[in-house]
Amino acid sequence: MRKRFLAAAMALALAVSAGLCACGDGSSDSKTPETSKEDIKETESAPGESGTAEEKPGNKAPAALTDYVSGEEMALADQWSSCDDKALAAVMRKAAKGEKVTIACIGGSITQGTISNGKKDSEVGFRKCYADIFFEWWKTTFPDGDFEFINAGIGGTDSYLGVHRVQKDVLDHKPDLVLVEYSVNDADSMFYKKSYDNLVRKILLSESKPAVMLLYMSQTNGSTAQGSHVFVGFGYKLPMVSYSNVISDMMKNNIFTAEELSGDTVHPSTLGHAITGEIIWKYLNSVYEVCDSIEEPEDFGASPVTKDIYLDAEILDSTNITPDSLGTFKEQKVCDQFPNGWVCSEGDGEITFTAEFRSLGILYYDTTDGKSGQFEIYVDGENMRTIDADFPGGWGNAITAEEVYSSDEKAKHTVVIKKAPDSKGDVFDLLGLLAS
C-alpha cells in the first residue's frame, strides 16, 4: 500500500468523519495549508525499514497540466484504502533507469479519444483526451525514458469484447502497465462484473505481469458501472481513481454544470478529459514522490472475484477459423478494427462453423442504413437467439458483441447463422465469433 504521511492522515481524518476514506491524498496540493511537502517527508519511514525520509529523499513530482481538482475532490477520486501501489511504483523505477517501458490503455470511445464539446472548453487551453494526458505524465516525469504507448480504445465496445481482444491488442505487446476504462460502456450488472473481472485477471496473469490501474468514468446523468467494477479493484487491491465521484460532487456543488463537463452526456468535454487527466496525474504524482521507498510487488495470486470463465477468450475470424460452409456469406472487410469477417448481403446466409468452446458470443456490425436484418444463431441445432443488426435512429454504425451460449463444460459445437424468416433486411456483417 502507498506510504501514509502523518500530516496528511491528520487532514484526512476530518474527511473520514464526513464519510470519506482516502488511499493517500492523490496530489501535493491536497495537504493542509500549514504543512509543506518537506515537513511531511520528515515524518515518514519506508515500509519494512528503519530510518527517515532523509535517507531516502522523495522524488519531485511534475505539476499537473491543470488545477481544477481540489484536495477534497481528489480524496473522492482516490478513496479506497486497500490500494496497493507496489507494482505501479516498480514501473516508475524501471522508467527511471531508462529501461523500455510499455504502457497501454484499453476501453471504449472515451479511451479512444472521443471529446464532446462543452460550454467551457475554450478556457482549458488545450484539447487532449485523458489517455494522452496519462501518457504525457510519463514523458514529462522521465524525459529520457524509453516508452511505447498503446491506446487500445475502441468506441462503443464493452469489457465483454475487451476480454476477448485484450491478448492481441494489448498483452502481445508485453505491457508493464495497463489502465482499464469500461465503466461507461458496461452496465452495472452481474454479467459485466464477470466480464470485467475476467478482463482484469487476464491482464494481471499475463506473461509480462503488468501493473493495472482502474479508471471509473461516468455519464453526467450518473450512469456508471463503478458500483460493480469497484468490487474487482477492491478484491485485487488495485490502484483506482474515480472521475464519477469527482464530477458528481462538482455538479452537486455548482462548480461545473453537466453541459460544461459533457456536450452529449456520455463523452467528456475537453474540460472533462482535462479533469480526468488531472486526477490520474495527481495519483501518479503521489506514488512517484515516494516510489523509491515502496517495496517490490509480489506475484499476483488472488482468487477470482467472480468466476474464471473468459480467461482463454479469443476472437475467431477468417484468419484462424474456416467455415464448414459459407452459404451466401462472403469474406469481406467491414471495419478497420475487425477487418477479417464475413458479410451476407443476399439470400438466407447459413454460414456454418465447427468450434470448441464453453461460451460463445457473436461480434457483428449494427448499421443505421436500414439494410441490415435479423439473423438467428443456432448451436447444435438449437436456436439460441435472434440478433437484430438494424440500428434505426442510432448514433452511428456500431461494433456490437452479444453472448448467445454459455456452459460450464468445454465441448465441440456446430454453429449456424442464418436469416430469420421475417427479417426486414438482407445484410448481416459478421465480424467474428467470441469463443472461450
Side-chain angles (χ1 to χ4, degrees):
M1 185 183 299
R2 182 169 26 193
K3 195 174 310 255
R4 304 285 182 168
F5 298 144
L6 178 60
M10 293 173 62
L12 288 173
L14 298 174
V16 171
S17 67
L20 299 177
C21 177
C23 175
D25 56 40
S27 71
S28 59
D29 62 1
S30 65
K31 309 296 187 295
T32 53
E34 65 273 18
T35 306
S36 69
K37 284 195 287 186
E38 288 71 20
D39 293 331
I40 291 168
K41 287 172 185 173
E42 289 176 0
T43 68
E44 65 172 352
S45 294
E49 311 179 5
S50 61
T52 67
E54 290 157 331
E55 296 172 88
K56 284 193 173 227
N59 298 309
K60 184 177 180 181
L65 303 183
T66 54
D67 191 24
Y68 295 114
V69 182
S70 69
E72 292 78 8
E73 288 156 354
M74 194 62 211
L76 290 172
D78 172 21
Q79 63 174 264
W80 293 278
S81 60
S82 67
C83 298
D84 186 335
D85 296 311
K86 294 187 186 77
L88 181 57
V91 178
M92 294 178 182
R93 291 193 293 266
K94 184 176 180 179
K97 294 176 184 177
E99 299 177 24
K100 173 71 177 293
V101 172
T102 300
I103 298 172
C105 296
I106 186 168
S109 56
I110 295 173
T111 293
Q112 184 180 356
T114 301
I115 304 176
S116 65
N117 296 316
K119 292 187 175 181
K120 280 198 172 180
D121 284 359
S122 61
E123 299 179 14
V124 176
F126 57 82
R127 188 174 176 85
K128 297 178 181 179
C129 70
Y130 89 81
D132 287 342
I133 299 171
F134 172 53
F135 296 151
E136 189 164 341
W137 182 88
W138 293 90
K139 292 182 288 186
T140 301
T141 307
F142 308 101
D144 298 323
D146 181 8
F147 294 105
E148 178 184 2
F149 297 114
I150 299 165
N151 188 329
I154 296 180
T157 65
D158 53 24
S159 67
Y160 174 62
L161 176 54
V163 73
H164 287 81
R165 70 181 182 87
V166 68
Q167 183 65 50
K168 180 180 178 181
D169 292 354
V170 175
L171 302 182
D172 283 352
H173 297 274
K174 295 181 172 54
D176 296 283
L177 169 63
V178 182
L179 186 150
V180 181
E181 175 273 312
Y182 276 113
S183 296
V184 164
N185 288 28
D186 281 4
D188 193 2
S189 67
M190 181 55 69
F191 174 80
Y192 281 111
K193 185 177 180 180
K194 289 178 181 178
S195 63
Y196 186 80
D197 179 24
N198 277 248
L199 169 62
V200 173
R201 282 184 65 76
K202 188 166 184 173
I203 297 169
L204 289 166
L205 292 167
S206 63
E207 181 183 355
S208 62
K209 300 179 181 179
V212 173
M213 288 186 68
L214 305 181
L215 171 62
Y216 303 138
M217 299 299 293
S218 174
Q219 297 184 34
T220 51
N221 63 11
S223 178
T224 177
Q226 175 177 307
S228 58
H229 286 179
V230 73
F231 284 101
V232 176
F234 187 77
Y236 302 144
K237 299 182 179 180
L238 298 175
M240 301 178 273
V241 288
S242 173
Y243 172 79
S244 178
N245 289 355
V246 172
I247 65 165
S248 176
D249 185 72
M250 286 178 165
M251 289 186 289
K252 178 182 176 181
N253 292 302
N254 299 315
I255 297 170
F256 294 117
T257 66
E259 292 75 21
E260 290 166 344
L261 294 166
S262 174
D264 61 9
T265 303
V266 178
H267 302 96
S269 61
T270 298
L271 172 63
H273 274 280
I275 290 170
T276 307
E278 183 179 336
I279 292 167
I280 297 170
W281 192 293
K282 288 180 174 179
Y283 189 99
L284 294 172
N285 275 357
S286 70
V287 178
Y288 177 63
E289 287 170 350
V290 293
C291 75
D292 294 333
S293 298
I294 298 177
E295 298 171 351
E296 288 295 322
E298 302 89 11
D299 288 341
F300 176 73
S303 300
V305 174
T306 57
K307 184 179 180 181
D308 287 344
I309 52 177
Y310 301 122
L311 292 187
D312 60 350
E314 63 177 332
I315 300 176
L316 303 178
D317 57 25
S318 61
T319 66
N320 55 13
I321 190 172
T322 301
D324 300 332
S325 63
L326 281 168
T328 57
F329 277 84
K330 297 178 181 178
E331 284 190 27
Q332 185 174 321
K333 176 181 176 179
V334 174
C335 65
D336 292 336
Q337 296 91 336
F338 303 99
N340 303 304
W342 303 268
V343 175
C344 174
S345 56
E346 60 183 6
D348 293 331
E350 291 206 47
I351 190 171
T352 303
F353 301 92
T354 299
E356 191 173 15
F357 52 81
R358 283 188 309 275
S359 66
L360 176 72
I362 304 299
L363 182 62
Y364 65 97
Y365 210 45
D366 267 325
T367 65
T368 59
D369 59 9
K371 296 179 180 179
S372 292
Q374 296 73 48
F375 279 63
E376 297 171 338
I377 315 299
Y378 290 82
V379 175
D380 300 329
E382 182 179 353
N383 190 342
M384 295 288 106
R385 182 175 301 181
T386 298
I387 286 179
D388 187 357
D390 187 26
F391 193 28
W395 46 265
N397 296 339
I399 297 165
T400 308
E402 287 189 34
E403 187 172 66
V404 297
Y405 175 87
S406 181
S407 171
D408 290 333
E409 300 295 329
K410 191 170 187 176
K412 188 174 289 187
H413 300 280
T414 299
V415 180
V416 178
I417 302 174
K418 63 181 182 180
K419 185 166 64 176
D422 58 350
S423 178
K424 297 178 182 178
D426 295 318
V427 175
F428 190 79
D429 301 319
L430 176 62
L431 305 180
L433 304 180
L434 305 180
S436 62

